[in-house]
Amino acid sequence: SMVMKVHFRMLNMYLQILKYFHSNRMKNTRIIQLKEREYKHMSKVIIFANQNGGVTKTSSAINLGIGLVREGKRVLLIDNDPQGSATMALGYTQPDELRLTLATIMERVINEEDFVLTEGIVCHEEGIDLLPGNIELSGVETTLVNIMSGETVLREYVNLIRDQYDYILIDCSPNLGMLTLNAMTCADYVIIPVQAAYLPVRGLELLLKTISRVKRKMNPNIEILGVLLSMIDERTNYGKEIIDLLYQSY
C-alpha cells in the first residue's frame, strides 16, 4: 500500500472519531432540499486545516478516510491543495498531468457549466474515492478572489454530491487563502493537525479566529472536532511542555 503509516496516537484519535459519529448518527436528522431535490441522506464534511505545512494534514486525512472505508463507509477525499500532496500520496505521482481535477470542477461551477457529478473522481484500490488536486488550483484561487461569492464555490459542488457519500474529507492547503476558506464554508467539522512544537501551537490563534469568523458570517454549522497533536515525543521535557501549553491555551 502506498498509504503512509499512521502513528498509534493518531490511530487512537481516528477510532474515537468513529465512535463519536456512531453515537450521534441518529441525532439532528434533517431533510435538506438542494437544486429542487430532497436528500434524506447527507454526508458529514470534515476538513483538515492548518496554515502551517508539514503538520500531517494529508496523512491524517488519508488514514482517517481509509479507516472509515474499512468500517463500511462511503468516503470521498477532496485534494484542495495546489501541491497535490494527497493525490501523490495515493499513487498519482504526476498530478499536474491529470486532465480532470478539482480545479476543472470548480471552474465549471464558476462558469455555471453543466457537468457529470462524478466527473474527475477516481477510485483508489483501498476503496476510497479521490477528487485530485494539482497546480491548476492556484489559478482557480486567483479567480475566486475576483468573483461574487467566491468563498462558496466548493460548497455548491459539495452540496450536489454529498448524498453519494457518508463522509467527505477535504485536505486543505497550508494557508488561510480562498481555497481553505471555501473548504471551511462547506465543512461540518474541522480537524486541526498541529506539530508538537512551540511556534505551530502558538500559531493556532489565527486559525481559530478564522474559523470563528466563518462560523459567524458564512457557515454557522462548522464545529472544531479536535486538535490532533502530531510528531510528538513524550519522552522529552520539551514534548511534555508543548502538551501542557496546548491544554492551557486552547
Side-chain angles (χ1 to χ4, degrees), residues 87 92 94-101 104 130 132-134 136:
T87 302
Y92 301 91
Q94 300 295 329
D96 294 344
E97 296 179 3
L98 295 175
R99 187 174 63 87
L100 296 174
T101 64
T104 311
L130 169 71
N134 62 14
E136 291 180 4

Side-chain angles (χ1 to χ4, degrees), residues 57-73:
K57 288 190 297 294
T58 299
S59 56
S60 299
I62 290 173
N63 281 284
L64 176 57
I66 292 176
L68 288 166
V69 167
R70 291 178 179 177
E71 291 289 320
K73 306 301 182 182

Side-chain angles (χ1 to χ4, degrees), residues 170-197:
I170 303 178
D171 182 30
C172 295
S173 53
N175 58 56
L176 297 177
M178 283 297 289
L179 290 174
T180 300
L181 190 61
N182 263 259
M184 289 183 181
T185 303
C186 68
D188 296 311
Y189 302 101
V190 184
I191 293 178
I192 307 173
V194 178
Q195 182 182 354

Side-chain angles (χ1 to χ4, degrees), residues 13-14 17 21 45-50 56-57 60-61 64 169-170 172 187-194 207 211 223-229:
M13 180 176 178
Y14 299 151
I17 293 170
F21 286 131
V45 180
I46 307 173
I47 70 170
F48 294 77
N50 193 319
T56 71
K57 288 190 297 294
S60 299
L64 176 57
L169 310 181
I170 303 178
C172 295
D188 296 311
Y189 302 101
V190 184
I191 293 178
I192 307 173
V194 178
L207 177 58
I211 295 172
E223 300 289 346
I224 298 174
L225 190 56
V227 175
L228 175 61
L229 267 176

Side-chain angles (χ1 to χ4, degrees), residues 4 8 12 28 56 69 95 140 157 169 171 174 231:
M4 295 169 279
F8 176 78
N12 184 54
N28 300 323
T56 71
V69 167
V140 172
Y157 170 70
L169 310 181
D171 182 30
M231 295 179 282

